[in-house]
Amino acid sequence: MVIMVIKILLILCLGLILFQDLKERQVYWFLFPIVALCVGALFFMKTLPELFYTSVLLNLTFVALLLGTVFLYTKYKLKTTFSQAIGLGDVLFLCALAFAYASISFMILLPSALIFSLILHVCLPKNKKTTTVPLAGYMSLFFGITYLGFWFGIINSLYQV
């Protein structure tokens, strides 16, 4: 029963992130900790505590390295600020996802989500008012589909490779 509530809450939060990011290009901040708690609880229940803590630490390190690279690229190559290259919601979503998977799965799913987001952004009709990419929204759609696929047995495992 508790697991079902967590799953429903997770899908609702991912859907809200998608809707808000597409519509307004800003997302309520409290959705990201809820997502982190939900995905963390689901992962924790499926694995050993030692693996969970190690994976979260490695995933947060990977996210920090990724964001550090984006920071350096925007500063020295694009000659702009970090906040103009990536939104706070995108950063919070990446941090929330660090609690979701074992490290190898995370390092496979995160680039897959980024490629999915790129393809969606290129293929969907453009809104002329904004030039930004709703990255957190697109990635929440990807991870929502991924979780639903796992829960319905289409995907064999999310927590181990």
Side-chain angles (χ1 to χ4, degrees):
M1 180 67 177
V2 173
I3 293 175
M4 186 59 68
V5 171
I6 292 171
K7 289 177 179 181
I8 291 169
L9 184 60
L10 175 60
I11 293 300
L12 285 175
C13 286
L14 292 174
L16 278 171
I17 291 170
L18 172 65
F19 178 75
Q20 288 183 331
D21 207 9
L22 288 177
K23 188 171 190 301
E24 303 167 12
R25 291 297 201 273
Q26 50 186 342
V27 180
Y28 292 130
W29 68 269
F30 62 84
L31 292 173
F32 301 109
I34 294 172
V35 168
L37 287 171
C38 289
V39 297
L42 291 171
F43 178 36
F44 188 82
M45 287 186 259
K46 292 283 186 182
T47 190
L48 298 171
E50 297 83 11
L51 179 61
F52 174 78
Y53 296 123
T54 304
S55 294
V56 169
L57 182 62
L58 288 172
N59 293 350
L60 286 171
T61 303
F62 182 71
V63 167
L65 289 171
L66 179 68
L67 292 174
T69 303
V70 171
F71 174 79
L72 292 173
Y73 185 79
T74 57
K75 183 175 180 173
Y76 294 111
K77 184 71 174 167
L78 298 179
K79 309 272 192 240
T80 187
T81 62
F82 180 73
S83 62
Q84 289 190 333
I86 189 166
L88 178 61
D90 303 329
V91 173
L92 292 174
F93 193 70
L94 289 172
C95 292
L97 288 176
F99 295 87
Y101 308 105
S103 296
I104 299 297
S105 297
F106 181 71
M107 290 181 200
I108 292 170
L109 287 170
L110 184 60
S112 300
L114 293 170
I115 292 167
F116 174 83
S117 299
L118 174 65
I119 292 169
L120 257 179
H121 188 69
V122 168
C123 293
L124 290 178
K126 306 282 184 292
N127 183 352
K128 302 295 183 203
K129 294 186 294 187
T130 60
T131 58
T132 59
V133 178
L135 183 61
Y138 289 158
M139 287 177 52
S140 68
L141 176 62
F142 176 84
F143 285 105
I145 292 169
T146 302
Y147 273 109
L148 288 171
F150 175 62
W151 296 332
F152 286 109
I154 299 167
I155 298 171
N156 292 333
S157 178
L158 285 181
Y159 303 109
Q160 44 185 301
V161 176

Short mmCIF file of all heavy atoms in Angstrom, two decimals, residues 56-96:
data_model
loop_
_atom_site.label_atom_id
_atom_site.label_comp_id
_atom_site.label_asym_id
_atom_site.label_seq_id
_atom_site.Cartn_x
_atom_site.Cartn_y
_atom_site.Cartn_z
N VAL A 56 24.21 6.84 -4.23
CA VAL A 56 23.80 8.24 -4.12
C VAL A 56 25.02 9.15 -4.09
O VAL A 56 25.06 10.18 -4.77
CB VAL A 56 22.89 8.46 -2.89
CG1 VAL A 56 22.69 9.94 -2.62
CG2 VAL A 56 21.56 7.77 -3.08
N LEU A 57 26.04 8.77 -3.33
CA LEU A 57 27.27 9.56 -3.27
C LEU A 57 27.94 9.65 -4.64
O LEU A 57 28.33 10.74 -5.08
CB LEU A 57 28.23 8.98 -2.24
CG LEU A 57 29.53 9.73 -2.02
CD1 LEU A 57 29.27 11.14 -1.50
CD2 LEU A 57 30.42 8.98 -1.06
N LEU A 58 28.06 8.54 -5.33
CA LEU A 58 28.65 8.54 -6.67
C LEU A 58 27.81 9.34 -7.66
O LEU A 58 28.33 10.08 -8.50
CB LEU A 58 28.86 7.11 -7.17
CG LEU A 58 29.96 6.32 -6.49
CD1 LEU A 58 29.92 4.86 -6.93
CD2 LEU A 58 31.32 6.93 -6.80
N ASN A 59 26.49 9.19 -7.57
CA ASN A 59 25.61 9.92 -8.48
C ASN A 59 25.69 11.43 -8.25
O ASN A 59 25.71 12.21 -9.22
CB ASN A 59 24.17 9.44 -8.32
CG ASN A 59 23.97 8.01 -8.76
OD1 ASN A 59 24.84 7.41 -9.37
ND2 ASN A 59 22.81 7.47 -8.44
N LEU A 60 25.73 11.85 -6.99
CA LEU A 60 25.87 13.27 -6.70
C LEU A 60 27.21 13.81 -7.19
O LEU A 60 27.29 14.94 -7.69
CB LEU A 60 25.69 13.53 -5.20
CG LEU A 60 24.26 13.44 -4.67
CD1 LEU A 60 24.25 13.49 -3.15
CD2 LEU A 60 23.39 14.53 -5.26
N THR A 61 28.25 13.00 -7.07
CA THR A 61 29.57 13.39 -7.60
C THR A 61 29.51 13.53 -9.12
O THR A 61 30.04 14.50 -9.68
CB THR A 61 30.63 12.34 -7.20
OG1 THR A 61 30.65 12.22 -5.78
CG2 THR A 61 32.00 12.73 -7.71
N PHE A 62 28.84 12.59 -9.79
CA PHE A 62 28.68 12.65 -11.24
C PHE A 62 27.90 13.91 -11.65
O PHE A 62 28.29 14.61 -12.59
CB PHE A 62 27.98 11.39 -11.74
CG PHE A 62 27.81 11.32 -13.22
CD1 PHE A 62 28.90 11.13 -14.05
CD2 PHE A 62 26.55 11.44 -13.80
CE1 PHE A 62 28.75 11.07 -15.43
CE2 PHE A 62 26.39 11.38 -15.16
CZ PHE A 62 27.49 11.19 -15.98
N VAL A 63 26.83 14.23 -10.93
CA VAL A 63 26.05 15.43 -11.23
C VAL A 63 26.90 16.68 -10.99
O VAL A 63 26.86 17.62 -11.80
CB VAL A 63 24.75 15.47 -10.37
CG1 VAL A 63 24.09 16.83 -10.43
CG2 VAL A 63 23.79 14.38 -10.84
N ALA A 64 27.68 16.70 -9.93
CA ALA A 64 28.56 17.84 -9.65
C ALA A 64 29.59 18.02 -10.77
O ALA A 64 29.85 19.16 -11.20
CB ALA A 64 29.24 17.67 -8.30
N LEU A 65 30.17 16.92 -11.23
CA LEU A 65 31.13 17.01 -12.34
C LEU A 65 30.45 17.50 -13.62
O LEU A 65 31.01 18.32 -14.36
CB LEU A 65 31.79 15.65 -12.58
CG LEU A 65 32.78 15.19 -11.53
CD1 LEU A 65 33.20 13.73 -11.78
CD2 LEU A 65 34.00 16.09 -11.54
N LEU A 66 29.26 17.02 -13.88
CA LEU A 66 28.50 17.44 -15.05
C LEU A 66 28.19 18.94 -14.98
O LEU A 66 28.41 19.68 -15.95
CB LEU A 66 27.21 16.63 -15.15
CG LEU A 66 26.27 16.96 -16.30
CD1 LEU A 66 26.90 16.56 -17.62
CD2 LEU A 66 24.95 16.24 -16.11
N LEU A 67 27.71 19.39 -13.83
CA LEU A 67 27.39 20.80 -13.67
C LEU A 67 28.64 21.67 -13.68
O LEU A 67 28.62 22.79 -14.20
CB LEU A 67 26.59 21.02 -12.39
CG LEU A 67 25.18 20.42 -12.40
CD1 LEU A 67 24.54 20.56 -11.03
CD2 LEU A 67 24.32 21.04 -13.47
N GLY A 68 29.73 21.16 -13.13
CA GLY A 68 31.00 21.88 -13.21
C GLY A 68 31.48 22.05 -14.64
O GLY A 68 31.97 23.12 -15.02
N THR A 69 31.31 21.03 -15.44
CA THR A 69 31.67 21.11 -16.85
C THR A 69 30.80 22.12 -17.58
O THR A 69 31.30 22.92 -18.39
CB THR A 69 31.53 19.71 -17.52
OG1 THR A 69 32.35 18.79 -16.80
CG2 THR A 69 31.93 19.75 -18.97
N VAL A 70 29.51 22.11 -17.29
CA VAL A 70 28.61 23.09 -17.90
C VAL A 70 29.00 24.51 -17.47
O VAL A 70 29.02 25.43 -18.29
CB VAL A 70 27.13 22.80 -17.53
CG1 VAL A 70 26.21 23.93 -17.97
CG2 VAL A 70 26.69 21.48 -18.15
N PHE A 71 29.35 24.67 -16.20
CA PHE A 71 29.78 25.98 -15.70
C PHE A 71 31.01 26.47 -16.46
O PHE A 71 31.04 27.61 -16.92
CB PHE A 71 30.06 25.91 -14.19
CG PHE A 71 30.65 27.17 -13.65
CD1 PHE A 71 29.83 28.26 -13.37
CD2 PHE A 71 32.01 27.28 -13.41
CE1 PHE A 71 30.36 29.44 -12.86
CE2 PHE A 71 32.55 28.45 -12.91
CZ PHE A 71 31.72 29.54 -12.64
N LEU A 72 32.01 25.63 -16.56
CA LEU A 72 33.24 26.02 -17.26
C LEU A 72 32.99 26.29 -18.74
O LEU A 72 33.53 27.25 -19.31
CB LEU A 72 34.32 24.94 -17.09
CG LEU A 72 34.86 24.77 -15.67
CD1 LEU A 72 35.79 23.56 -15.61
CD2 LEU A 72 35.56 26.04 -15.22
N TYR A 73 32.17 25.48 -19.36
CA TYR A 73 31.86 25.66 -20.79
C TYR A 73 31.12 26.99 -21.01
O TYR A 73 31.45 27.72 -21.95
CB TYR A 73 31.01 24.49 -21.29
CG TYR A 73 30.76 24.55 -22.77
CD1 TYR A 73 31.73 24.15 -23.68
CD2 TYR A 73 29.54 24.99 -23.27
CE1 TYR A 73 31.51 24.20 -25.04
CE2 TYR A 73 29.30 25.05 -24.63
CZ TYR A 73 30.29 24.65 -25.51
OH TYR A 73 30.06 24.71 -26.86
N THR A 74 30.16 27.28 -20.17
CA THR A 74 29.41 28.54 -20.35
C THR A 74 30.29 29.76 -20.07
O THR A 74 30.15 30.79 -20.74
CB THR A 74 28.16 28.60 -19.45
OG1 THR A 74 28.54 28.44 -18.10
CG2 THR A 74 27.16 27.54 -19.84
N LYS A 75 31.18 29.63 -19.10
CA LYS A 75 32.02 30.77 -18.75
C LYS A 75 33.09 31.06 -19.81
O LYS A 75 33.27 32.20 -20.21
CB LYS A 75 32.68 30.53 -17.39
CG LYS A 75 33.51 31.69 -16.91
CD LYS A 75 34.04 31.49 -15.52
CE LYS A 75 34.85 32.70 -15.11
NZ LYS A 75 35.27 32.64 -13.73
N TYR A 76 33.77 30.00 -20.26
CA TYR A 76 34.92 30.23 -21.14
C TYR A 76 34.60 30.09 -22.63
O TYR A 76 35.21 30.78 -23.44
CB TYR A 76 36.05 29.27 -20.76
CG TYR A 76 36.59 29.57 -19.38
CD1 TYR A 76 36.38 28.70 -18.32
CD2 TYR A 76 37.27 30.76 -19.13
CE1 TYR A 76 36.86 28.99 -17.05
CE2 TYR A 76 37.75 31.06 -17.87
CZ TYR A 76 37.54 30.17 -16.84
OH TYR A 76 37.99 30.47 -15.58
N LYS A 77 33.69 29.25 -22.99
CA LYS A 77 33.38 29.06 -24.41
C LYS A 77 32.21 29.93 -24.86
O LYS A 77 32.30 30.61 -25.87
CB LYS A 77 33.07 27.58 -24.67
CG LYS A 77 32.82 27.24 -26.10
CD LYS A 77 34.07 27.32 -26.93
CE LYS A 77 33.76 26.81 -28.33
NZ LYS A 77 34.81 27.14 -29.25
N LEU A 78 31.13 29.91 -24.09
CA LEU A 78 29.95 30.69 -24.47
C LEU A 78 30.01 32.13 -23.98
O LEU A 78 29.22 32.96 -24.43
CB LEU A 78 28.68 30.02 -23.92
CG LEU A 78 28.38 28.61 -24.43
CD1 LEU A 78 27.11 28.08 -23.78
CD2 LEU A 78 28.25 28.60 -25.94
N LYS A 79 30.90 32.41 -23.04
CA LYS A 79 31.07 33.75 -22.47
C LYS A 79 29.75 34.29 -21.91
O LYS A 79 29.37 35.43 -22.15
CB LYS A 79 31.62 34.72 -23.52
CG LYS A 79 32.85 34.26 -24.25
CD LYS A 79 34.08 34.67 -23.51
CE LYS A 79 35.29 34.46 -24.41
NZ LYS A 79 36.24 33.55 -23.91
N THR A 80 29.07 33.46 -21.16
CA THR A 80 27.81 33.85 -20.52
C THR A 80 27.79 33.30 -19.10
O THR A 80 28.75 32.67 -18.66
CB THR A 80 26.61 33.34 -21.34
OG1 THR A 80 25.41 33.87 -20.79
CG2 THR A 80 26.54 31.84 -21.39
N THR A 81 26.72 33.53 -18.41
CA THR A 81 26.62 33.06 -17.03
C THR A 81 26.01 31.66 -16.99
O THR A 81 25.27 31.26 -17.90
CB THR A 81 25.75 34.00 -16.18
OG1 THR A 81 24.44 34.03 -16.71
CG2 THR A 81 26.34 35.41 -16.16
N PHE A 82 26.29 30.96 -15.92
CA PHE A 82 25.78 29.61 -15.72
C PHE A 82 24.25 29.62 -15.67
O PHE A 82 23.58 28.75 -16.23
CB PHE A 82 26.35 29.05 -14.41
CG PHE A 82 25.90 27.66 -14.08
CD1 PHE A 82 26.38 26.57 -14.77
CD2 PHE A 82 24.99 27.45 -13.05
CE1 PHE A 82 25.97 25.28 -14.46
CE2 PHE A 82 24.58 26.17 -12.72
CZ PHE A 82 25.06 25.09 -13.43
N SER A 83 23.67 30.64 -15.03
CA SER A 83 22.21 30.70 -14.88
C SER A 83 21.50 30.95 -16.20
O SER A 83 20.31 30.67 -16.30
CB SER A 83 21.83 31.78 -13.86
OG SER A 83 22.25 33.05 -14.31
N GLN A 84 22.21 31.44 -17.20
CA GLN A 84 21.58 31.60 -18.52
C GLN A 84 21.69 30.33 -19.34
O GLN A 84 20.98 30.16 -20.33
CB GLN A 84 22.21 32.77 -19.27
CG GLN A 84 21.83 34.10 -18.67
CD GLN A 84 22.23 35.25 -19.55
OE1 GLN A 84 23.18 35.17 -20.32
NE2 GLN A 84 21.51 36.35 -19.42
N ALA A 85 22.57 29.43 -18.93
CA ALA A 85 22.74 28.18 -19.67
C ALA A 85 21.85 27.07 -19.15
O ALA A 85 21.39 26.22 -19.91
CB ALA A 85 24.20 27.74 -19.61
N ILE A 86 21.61 27.05 -17.85
CA ILE A 86 20.80 25.98 -17.25
C ILE A 86 20.00 26.59 -16.10
O ILE A 86 20.52 27.41 -15.35
CB ILE A 86 21.68 24.80 -16.78
CG1 ILE A 86 20.84 23.61 -16.36
CG2 ILE A 86 22.65 25.23 -15.72
CD1 ILE A 86 21.65 22.33 -16.20
N GLY A 87 18.76 26.18 -16.01
CA GLY A 87 17.88 26.74 -14.98
C GLY A 87 18.05 26.05 -13.63
O GLY A 87 18.53 24.91 -13.55
N LEU A 88 17.60 26.72 -12.59
CA LEU A 88 17.67 26.16 -11.25
C LEU A 88 16.84 24.88 -11.15
O LEU A 88 17.25 23.92 -10.50
CB LEU A 88 17.20 27.19 -10.22
CG LEU A 88 17.19 26.74 -8.77
CD1 LEU A 88 18.60 26.35 -8.32
CD2 LEU A 88 16.62 27.83 -7.88
N GLY A 89 15.70 24.85 -11.80
CA GLY A 89 14.86 23.65 -11.79
C GLY A 89 15.57 22.46 -12.41
O GLY A 89 15.43 21.33 -11.93
N ASP A 90 16.33 22.70 -13.46
CA ASP A 90 17.09 21.63 -14.10
C ASP A 90 18.14 21.08 -13.14
O ASP A 90 18.33 19.86 -13.03
CB ASP A 90 17.76 22.12 -15.38
CG ASP A 90 16.77 22.71 -16.38
OD1 ASP A 90 15.61 22.25 -16.40
OD2 ASP A 90 17.15 23.63 -17.12
N VAL A 91 18.83 21.97 -12.44
CA VAL A 91 19.84 21.56 -11.47
C VAL A 91 19.20 20.77 -10.32
O VAL A 91 19.70 19.70 -9.93
CB VAL A 91 20.61 22.79 -10.92
CG1 VAL A 91 21.54 22.40 -9.79
CG2 VAL A 91 21.38 23.47 -12.04
N LEU A 92 18.07 21.26 -9.81
CA LEU A 92 17.39 20.57 -8.72
C LEU A 92 16.88 19.20 -9.17
O LEU A 92 16.92 18.23 -8.41
CB LEU A 92 16.23 21.42 -8.19
CG LEU A 92 16.61 22.70 -7.46
CD1 LEU A 92 15.37 23.53 -7.13
CD2 LEU A 92 17.40 22.39 -6.21
N PHE A 93 16.42 19.11 -10.42
CA PHE A 93 15.93 17.83 -10.92
C PHE A 93 17.09 16.83 -11.04
O PHE A 93 16.93 15.65 -10.70
CB PHE A 93 15.23 18.01 -12.27
CG PHE A 93 14.45 16.81 -12.71
CD1 PHE A 93 13.30 16.43 -12.04
CD2 PHE A 93 14.87 16.04 -13.77
CE1 PHE A 93 12.58 15.31 -12.43
CE2 PHE A 93 14.16 14.93 -14.17
CZ PHE A 93 13.00 14.56 -13.50
N LEU A 94 18.23 17.27 -11.52
CA LEU A 94 19.40 16.39 -11.61
C LEU A 94 19.81 15.90 -10.22
O LEU A 94 20.14 14.72 -10.05
CB LEU A 94 20.57 17.11 -12.27
CG LEU A 94 20.44 17.37 -13.77
CD1 LEU A 94 21.58 18.26 -14.26
CD2 LEU A 94 20.41 16.07 -14.55
N CYS A 95 19.77 16.79 -9.26
CA CYS A 95 20.11 16.39 -7.89
C CYS A 95 19.09 15.39 -7.33
O CYS A 95 19.46 14.44 -6.64
CB CYS A 95 20.22 17.61 -6.98
SG CYS A 95 21.62 18.67 -7.38
N ALA A 96 17.82 15.60 -7.63
CA ALA A 96 16.78 14.67 -7.16
C ALA A 96 16.98 13.29 -7.78
O ALA A 96 16.80 12.26 -7.12
CB ALA A 96 15.40 15.21 -7.50
#
